[in-house]
Amino acid sequence: MLRSLVGSEMCIRDRDKKVMLHEVHQERKLLEKQHNEFIESKMQTLSEIQSERMLIMKERTEAAMTREKFNKDEAGLLVALRQKEEEYQCRLDAIAADRDVAQELRREAQQLRDDACSERDHVRGERATLEAAREEVLLRVEDVRRRAEDAVGDQQRLRKELAAERASSVTNQLRGGSQQYGSGGGMNQFSQLQSELAKQRAALSRLNENL
């Protein structure tokens, strides 16, 4: 009886042990499955993270290249703008210089006009003076001519009187000698008038040349 109880108890223990072993085995398999799934999920996550990292690195590289290109383009644009600014400044300086030259030319032109006006007024004054001198010389010439004509008339009259007196008596000849002295004075006066007339004509000729 005792043996059968002991045997029965041992059988129960063996059966419980087997059940427990089976349960432990099942739990181990479940744990291994979960571990494998975790490892697989972890590897997939790591792969995704690596892909994301690669993508981020690629995007960063592209962004760096884009930034570098943008910086180069910006630097080129700044250089071009600086060149344009220098070119415009040169043009402005040239325009300012041309404006100064134009103002100087206008001042010179105004000065030339003023000088021309002054010279014209001076020439007009000189011309008026020369005209007045010419008129005076013409009057003198006319006076000399009139006096010369009068002297010629006197000379002819004296010649006639001298011829008449030469035909008269000795007393009349002596009187005619005195008149010859007077006629010689008339000849001298006529010569002086001719000389003065020549001088006045020369002065008139010079005035006409100046006019």
Side-chain angles (χ1 to χ4, degrees), residues 29-113:
K29 288 176 65 176
L30 180 60
L31 289 174
E32 289 178 354
K33 182 179 179 182
Q34 290 177 354
H35 178 70
N36 292 331
E37 290 177 353
F38 173 74
I39 294 298
E40 184 179 356
S41 176
K42 181 179 179 181
M43 294 300 294
Q44 184 177 359
T45 302
L46 290 175
S47 178
E48 292 176 355
I49 292 173
Q50 187 66 23
S51 298
E52 290 291 335
R53 286 179 179 176
M54 294 295 292
L55 183 60
I56 290 171
M57 289 179 63
K58 182 178 179 181
E59 290 177 352
R60 285 181 178 177
T61 303
E62 291 177 355
M65 293 176 63
T66 303
R67 189 181 299 108
E68 184 178 1
K69 182 179 179 181
F70 176 78
N71 291 334
K72 289 182 179 179
D73 294 340
E74 186 178 8
L77 182 61
L78 290 175
V79 171
L81 290 175
R82 191 175 294 109
Q83 291 177 352
K84 285 291 185 181
E85 183 179 359
E86 292 176 355
E87 182 180 354
Y88 291 152
Q89 186 62 42
C90 291
R91 290 183 180 179
L92 290 176
D93 295 338
I95 291 172
D98 292 340
R99 187 181 296 112
D100 294 337
V101 172
Q103 291 178 356
E104 184 65 25
L105 291 175
R106 282 195 293 270
R107 285 194 293 268
E108 291 180 359
Q110 184 63 38
Q111 184 65 35
L112 290 174
R113 284 193 294 270

Side-chain angles (χ1 to χ4, degrees), residues 7-211:
S8 176
E9 185 178 355
M10 289 179 67
C11 288
I12 291 171
R13 286 181 178 177
D14 291 337
R15 186 180 60 190
D16 292 337
K17 184 177 180 181
K18 289 180 180 180
V19 171
M20 288 176 65
L21 289 173
H22 180 70
E23 289 177 355
V24 169
H25 180 70
Q26 291 296 328
E27 288 179 0
R28 181 179 293 175
K29 288 176 65 176
L30 180 60
L31 289 174
E32 289 178 354
K33 182 179 179 182
Q34 290 177 354
H35 178 70
N36 292 331
E37 290 177 353
F38 173 74
I39 294 298
E40 184 179 356
S41 176
K42 181 179 179 181
M43 294 300 294
Q44 184 177 359
T45 302
L46 290 175
S47 178
E48 292 176 355
I49 292 173
Q50 187 66 23
S51 298
E52 290 291 335
R53 286 179 179 176
M54 294 295 292
L55 183 60
I56 290 171
M57 289 179 63
K58 182 178 179 181
E59 290 177 352
R60 285 181 178 177
T61 303
E62 291 177 355
M65 293 176 63
T66 303
R67 189 181 299 108
E68 184 178 1
K69 182 179 179 181
F70 176 78
N71 291 334
K72 289 182 179 179
D73 294 340
E74 186 178 8
L77 182 61
L78 290 175
V79 171
L81 290 175
R82 191 175 294 109
Q83 291 177 352
K84 285 291 185 181
E85 183 179 359
E86 292 176 355
E87 182 180 354
Y88 291 152
Q89 186 62 42
C90 291
R91 290 183 180 179
L92 290 176
D93 295 338
I95 291 172
D98 292 340
R99 187 181 296 112
D100 294 337
V101 172
Q103 291 178 356
E104 184 65 25
L105 291 175
R106 282 195 293 270
R107 285 194 293 268
E108 291 180 359
Q110 184 63 38
Q111 184 65 35
L112 290 174
R113 284 193 294 270
D114 295 339
D115 294 341
C117 291
S118 300
E119 184 67 20
R120 185 174 62 250
D121 295 338
H122 180 68
V123 170
R124 286 177 178 175
E126 288 185 350
R127 182 174 295 175
T129 303
L130 292 174
E131 285 289 342
R134 181 172 177 271
E135 292 295 330
E136 184 179 357
V137 170
L138 288 175
L139 292 175
R140 289 181 181 179
V141 169
E142 181 65 23
D143 182 64
V144 171
R145 186 185 63 77
R146 181 180 54 79
R147 290 166 59 188
E149 290 177 353
D150 294 340
V152 169
D154 292 339
Q155 185 181 10
Q156 291 177 353
R157 182 178 56 81
L158 289 173
R159 284 179 179 177
K160 290 178 180 181
E161 291 178 356
L162 181 61
E165 288 176 357
R166 283 179 180 178
S168 63
S169 62
V170 175
T171 305
N172 290 331
Q173 288 179 356
L174 292 174
R175 187 181 302 172
S178 176
Q179 289 179 358
Q180 282 180 1
Y181 176 78
S183 67
M187 292 293 292
N188 290 332
Q189 184 180 5
F190 180 71
S191 299
Q192 290 177 357
L193 288 173
Q194 284 183 337
S195 177
E196 185 176 356
L197 180 61
K199 291 180 181 179
Q200 295 297 331
R201 285 177 176 174
L204 182 60
S205 177
R206 288 194 297 271
L207 287 173
N208 290 328
E209 292 179 355
N210 292 328
L211 289 173

